[in-house]
Amino acid sequence: MTDAATRIGDLVKTNDVVLFMKGTPLFPQCGFSSRAIAILDRLGATYETVDVLQDPEIRQGIKAYSDWPTIPQLYVKGEFVGGSDIMMEMFESGELQQLVTAEA
Amino acid sequence: MPMTASEIEAMILAEFPDAAVEIRDLAGDGDHYAARVVSASFAGMSRVRQHQAIYAALKGKMGTDLHALQLETIVPSGDH
């Protein structure tokens, strides 16, 4: 396992809900990341974010980790959920609410 | 290097000959697309797997040549 994969593994295991994104929740640097944050906020979810623009190793590593070519990427309880399109579909069907607020 | 809508459509159809593919150019700049793909072969696959199958059909262009592709995958009704 590469160093990046180990770090990503730690991040997704120690945070129930974690979004790998471009930029920060206050200043998303891409429309897709912005949309992902809007969905999580709308759900009232508690989440962590990782700004991949600040960390080239994570930025590349996360694509291999999930076998997913784009960012943002959402993980819940260590499981890869999907990118912003899947988040939107699951938000609209109510599935995402259940997933990210199951703890509460 | 951007891609044209017909190139995207052709690559998806090459892997999913049964699919109904609809591509929209979101910004008119040849770089921001939305794709809607309806195919019976998505039946029984999770959403992540369905999108991954499309990314696989795009053979590495997703995330490189193609930055912005809003993706919607649909199983035809009656098939699931």
Side-chain angles (χ1 to χ4, degrees):
Chain A
M1 222 195 253
T2 63
D3 186 42
T6 309
R7 288 171 58 210
I8 292 164
D10 287 343
L11 284 165
V12 303
K13 280 173 199 123
T14 53
N15 298 289
D16 269 356
V17 181
V18 55
L19 183 75
F20 292 82
M21 64 180 291
K22 292 181 177 171
T24 63
L26 276 180
F27 296 103
Q29 298 296 312
C30 160
F32 294 94
S33 289
S34 177
R35 193 157 64 120
I37 289 294
I39 292 168
L40 290 174
D41 285 344
R42 180 70 184 276
L43 292 173
T46 304
Y47 59 88
E48 292 295 325
T49 63
V50 177
D51 181 0
V52 302
L53 299 179
Q54 302 298 323
D55 196 325
E57 196 182 84
I58 296 283
R59 184 178 184 173
Q60 281 315 309
I62 193 73
K63 296 177 185 178
Y65 187 86
S66 54
D67 190 22
W68 192 260
T70 57
I71 290 155
Q73 296 187 12
L74 179 71
Y75 290 76
V76 176
K77 295 197 193 328
E79 292 287 324
F80 175 53
V81 176
S84 62
D85 296 327
I86 288 179
M87 287 176 69
M88 181 57 85
E89 282 180 50
M90 292 180 73
F91 170 68
E92 285 171 351
S93 70
E95 286 166 86
L96 197 60
Q97 175 92 58
Q98 285 187 321
L99 198 61
V100 300
T101 56
E103 284 290 88
Chain B
M1 195 184 68
M3 292 174 72
T4 66
S6 53
E7 282 177 290
I8 299 170
E9 184 176 357
M11 291 190 84
I12 294 173
L13 283 173
E15 294 296 322
F16 299 94
D18 77 304
V21 182
E22 205 181 289
I23 312 277
R24 280 186 301 134
D25 188 340
L26 293 176
D29 61 357
D31 203 26
H32 295 78
Y33 292 103
R36 185 175 195 270
V37 184
V38 183
S39 167
S41 56
F42 296 143
M45 294 164 80
S46 70
R47 285 197 184 81
V48 167
R49 289 279 155 225
Q50 293 175 8
H51 285 216
Q52 271 169 336
I54 298 292
Y55 293 152
L58 293 171
K59 304 196 191 305
K61 291 189 182 295
M62 190 66 207
T64 54
D65 296 6
L66 201 52
H67 161 67
L69 179 69
Q70 208 174 302
L71 193 55
E72 193 185 359
T73 50
I74 296 156
V75 181
S77 49
D79 269 311
H80 59 121

